[in-house]
Amino acid sequence: METNGLGSQGFPELKNDTFLRAAWGEDTDYTPVWCMRQAGRYLPEFKETRAAQDFFSTCRSPEACCELTLQPLRRFPLDAAIIFSDILVVPQALGMEVTMVPGKGPSFPEPLREERDLERLRDPAAVASELGYVFQAITLTRQRLAGRVPLIGFAGAPWTLMTYMIEGGSSSTMAQAKRWLYQKPQASHQLLRILTDALVPYLVGQVAAGAQALQLFESHAGHLGPQLFNKFALPYVRDVAKRVKARLQEAGLAPVPMIIFAKDGHFALEELAQAGYEVVGLDWTVAPEKARERVGKMVTLQGNLDPCALYASEEEIGRLVQKMLDDFGPQRYIANLGHGLYPDMDPEHVGAFVDAVHKYSRLLRQN
């Protein structure tokens, strides 16, 4: 069936599947690497492309998303692309207004305050039809990638989306969202269910559109201790994986590896490793060798260089990468940062990071 270099969905055939092989736990010739926020403001060309438009208008333009997704691949030999989008397109599709305030970040003019505010939300089943622009961006990017590397789709996890919808933006304590968990546990579960019901078809839609892997960002895991996490975050994270996999099978779509990245969720590492994801992403506060002991052989680990290490000299970056690769070991591992790239980082240093991973991981395998 694979005729004229076109794959099963009519997309160009994949030439570099190292990232996917590592995600599935297969052996690789070297360690694959990508960076969270690799399409970002640290690239001058990103700022040029983005200058003309407001943030969410960019997200709604498949052409712009495609261009931004491809920019880092023109500079660096990354092993995966991640679609340019934002986790907050889901609350938007549920009918909430979200704006991006320059220098401040996302802002919800009318956050959820009372239980009855949940009635304002659209039917989660309709969310995927509101997000066709993301699917179009994925399909266009997958075509233009020409099989160079796999394309990752993503979404925010239910608890992390809930925090934004209640806090109305970023928060250092998440006190309003956590107040809901303690004072309105029923309404909290109702909201988390709505978000889960929205996320499942959204993620399945991304795969149908051409995404070859999926990452779920539980960015605000660290604000919950083990008890709240096990009650209000983990069940929904598990549910997303289970239901996405079942829906892909029902739709006759090939399975894709799924990554869970719960920032500062080190207290739940064992649980996350058993939550139905092939890959567990780690932030830089976790010691790789300890993480490997705790999760066992069954999952691939991804991470976890401190993004601020990219402020170091290129020689020092090389040394830090070497140590990181030694600690993680050669297989069942995808190199990444422990969080996204910051806007003031030097692209040359990002290149040094990527090259060091490739060079040293090949050496490791020879010895």
Side-chain angles (χ1 to χ4, degrees):
M1 177 118 180
E2 307 272 321
T3 51
N4 64 16
L6 289 179
S8 53
Q9 285 170 293
F11 289 121
E13 217 171 326
L14 187 59
K15 300 184 192 76
N16 173 0
D17 66 350
T18 310
F19 163 81
L20 292 180
R21 292 168 58 86
W24 286 119
E26 297 167 21
D27 283 1
T28 60
D29 300 334
Y30 65 90
T31 297
V33 56
W34 66 281
C35 297
M36 290 185 270
R37 295 216 192 112
Q38 60 189 33
R41 288 172 291 172
Y42 75 101
L43 291 174
E45 58 270 35
F46 177 96
K47 284 190 276 222
E48 269 169 54
T49 305
R50 276 271 299 108
Q53 288 179 303
D54 104 299
F55 181 80
F56 286 108
S57 307
T58 305
C59 289
R60 282 190 285 271
S61 158
E63 240 343 295
C65 289
C66 176
E67 168 59 22
L68 294 170
T69 302
L70 296 176
Q71 282 175 351
L73 296 172
R74 294 186 192 125
R75 276 191 188 248
F76 316 117
L78 295 154
D79 294 290
I82 182 164
I83 194 66
F84 178 82
S85 185
D86 195 87
I87 65 171
L88 298 180
V89 298
V90 169
Q92 269 186 340
L94 283 165
M96 293 192 78
E97 192 192 335
V98 192
T99 56
M100 196 59 81
V101 183
K104 181 180 168 267
S107 172
F108 290 68
E110 292 181 58
L112 305 173
R113 285 281 170 251
E114 299 303 324
E115 195 162 341
R116 62 170 181 270
D117 293 339
L118 298 181
E119 292 161 22
R120 301 195 328 237
L121 299 176
R122 282 198 192 109
D123 173 6
V127 162
S129 60
E130 292 285 322
L131 294 172
Y133 59 86
V134 179
F135 305 149
Q136 287 167 15
I138 287 172
T139 302
L140 182 64
T141 306
R142 183 79 194 271
Q143 297 287 3
R144 296 227 178 120
L145 268 170
R148 191 168 146 183
V149 292
L151 179 61
I152 305 168
F154 73 92
W159 156 250
T160 293
L161 295 178
M162 172 179 170
T163 61
Y164 283 106
M165 292 163 80
I166 291 172
E167 297 288 343
S170 304
S171 154
S172 59
T173 61
M174 303 293 159
Q176 293 307 316
K178 288 175 76 177
R179 178 195 286 255
W180 270 56
L181 303 184
Y182 284 111
Q183 291 185 352
K184 307 189 222 297
Q186 259 49 57
S188 296
H189 281 299
Q190 192 190 340
L191 175 53
L192 291 161
R193 275 196 300 273
I194 289 169
L195 287 162
T196 304
D197 290 346
L199 285 167
V200 172
Y202 177 48
L203 289 166
V204 171
Q206 291 188 44
V207 176
Q212 290 151 293
L214 296 170
Q215 178 155 316
L216 196 69
F217 285 84
E218 187 68 282
S219 310
H220 297 163
H223 293 276
L224 302 174
Q227 282 154 310
L228 286 180
F229 187 83
N230 287 341
K231 202 166 157 189
F232 292 102
L234 187 63
Y236 300 99
V237 163
R238 272 199 197 114
D239 207 29
V240 167
K242 194 170 114 196
R243 288 169 58 188
V244 165
K245 289 178 177 191
R247 290 274 291 261
L248 288 175
Q249 206 173 356
E250 285 159 25
L253 290 163
V256 299
M258 294 180 72
I259 308 164
I260 177 66
F261 176 60
K263 186 163 182 301
D264 299 315
H266 41 79
F267 52 81
L269 202 50
E270 290 84 349
E271 290 82 353
L272 290 164
Q274 289 162 28
Y277 293 77
E278 285 69 31
V279 184
V280 175
L282 302 177
D283 63 62
W284 69 92
T285 66
V286 185
E289 62 276 45
K290 289 205 178 99
R292 190 65 87 179
E293 272 165 39
R294 286 172 59 191
V295 304
K297 291 271 182 284
M298 291 321 291
V299 291
T300 291
L301 291 173
Q302 175 177 278
N304 73 338
L305 192 73
D306 179 356
C308 292
L310 297 186
Y311 295 132
S313 70
E314 294 189 22
E315 294 73 40
E316 179 66 8
I317 290 168
R319 280 194 289 278
L320 293 166
V321 164
Q322 215 161 346
K323 168 89 175 95
M324 176 174 82
L325 266 59
D326 284 338
D327 289 349
F328 274 105
Q331 302 298 351
R332 276 198 172 274
Y333 173 50
I334 296 161
N336 204 316
L337 303 172
H339 194 42
L341 285 160
Y342 303 144
D344 63 351
M345 286 177 166
D346 181 346
E348 296 289 314
H349 287 214
V350 177
F353 167 66
V354 172
D355 292 342
V357 170
H358 286 155
K359 184 176 150 202
Y360 188 65
S361 65
R362 283 200 154 94
L363 279 174
L364 260 186
R365 282 163 173 73
Q366 283 163 20
N367 300 336

